[in-house]
Every structure is written in structure tokens, then in C-alpha cells.
């Protein structure tokens, strides 16, 4: 398994995801999306796995602006430019990915 956790340092679900993998002694790489962002390739890979709408943080104050962008490509560009709009944690295992705290899915990866 090659686990990557894209999260925000103050996100409760990100901390829970890290704890899930630590408790099972599964190595993972943590990437702070606010500090480092996600590459376009990573964003595309996650979008293909979970869908674009589930990647957008609907609780963010700028969500209505993203909602009215015309195309999915424009929305993806906005996520690339403004990482704070990405819902976290995003957990990747190769081409598989989840958004949010999803231990039932992660169990199937073990």
C-alpha cells in the first residue's frame, strides 16, 4: 500500500484519518494542502476516483462562487489555485481515493 493523506492541519477528520493508519501501523505520507497544494495530476486522479463535486468543501464561504463556475475544468482550476476549497482529508492509495473519513473503504485496501 502506498497511502497519501492530503489534509489541513486544523481539520479534525484529517487527524482521525492519520490516527486510523497509525493505529494499524500502515505507513503513509501526509501532505498539507494549504502549504503544498495538490498537483494537477493528483487532482485529476482523485476527481476520476471520487468525482469533482465530492472534492469541494461545501462548508467554505467561497463555495457558492465555485458552484456557479461554468465547467468542471474551471472548477478543477479553482481547486488547483485555492487549495482551501478542497474537502479534506483526501486519502489516496494508487488510483483509489476517498474524501472525508472513510474507514470502511480503507479496510478494503488492507
Amino acid at each position: 500500500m502506498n497511502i497519501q493523506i492530503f489534509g489541513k492541519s486544523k481539520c479534525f477528520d484529517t487527524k482521525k484519518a492519520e490516527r486510523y493508519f497509525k493505529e494499524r501501523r500502515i505507513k503513509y505520507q501526509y501532505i498539507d494542502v494549504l502549504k503544498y497544494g495538490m498537483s494537477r495530476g493528483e487532482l485529476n486522479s482523485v476527481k476520476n476516483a471520487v468525482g469533482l463535486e465530492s472534492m469541494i468543501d461545501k462548508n467554505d464561504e467561497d463555495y457558492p462562487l465555485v458552484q456557479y463556475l461554468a465547467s468542471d475544468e474551471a472548477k478543477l482550476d479553482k481547486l488547483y489555485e485555492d487549495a482551501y476549497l478542497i474537502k479534506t482529508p483526501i486519502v489516496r492509495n494508487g488510483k483509489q481515493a476517498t474524501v472525508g473519513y472513510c474507514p470502511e473503504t480503507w479496510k478494503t485496501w488492507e
Side-chain angles (χ1 to χ4, degrees):
M1 248 189 308
N2 185 18
I3 302 294
Q4 290 180 305
I5 300 175
F6 294 89
K8 299 171 188 166
S9 59
K10 294 184 179 176
C11 172
F12 182 67
D13 282 344
T14 297
K15 290 180 186 353
K16 282 175 36 180
E18 284 188 272
R19 187 170 53 245
Y20 175 89
F21 290 104
K22 275 182 191 167
E23 287 174 352
R24 286 156 184 77
R25 292 188 173 92
I26 298 170
K27 289 185 180 180
Y28 64 90
Q29 176 187 15
Y30 172 75
I31 299 104
D32 187 332
V33 291
L34 297 179
K35 193 172 185 181
Y36 301 106
M38 290 178 79
S39 73
R40 287 197 186 270
E42 289 165 337
L43 279 170
N44 266 321
S45 174
V46 173
K47 179 190 75 142
N48 292 337
V50 300
L52 181 61
E53 284 303 313
S54 64
M55 294 173 61
I56 302 170
D57 186 355
K58 293 171 178 55
N59 295 325
D60 192 275
E61 61 186 29
D62 287 342
Y63 173 68
L65 299 173
V66 177
Q67 192 178 1
Y68 292 109
L69 290 173
S71 68
D72 283 356
E73 197 58 41
K75 290 177 184 178
L76 204 59
D77 287 343
K78 186 69 174 163
L79 289 180
Y80 178 72
E81 292 165 14
D82 299 321
Y84 63 87
L85 288 166
I86 297 172
K87 183 176 179 183
T88 56
I90 290 178
V91 180
R92 284 183 62 203
N93 179 21
K95 296 217 179 282
Q96 298 173 306
T98 60
V99 177
Y101 183 70
C102 305
E104 54 290 332
T105 303
W106 303 333
K107 283 178 190 168
T108 66
W109 295 353
E110 295 176 21

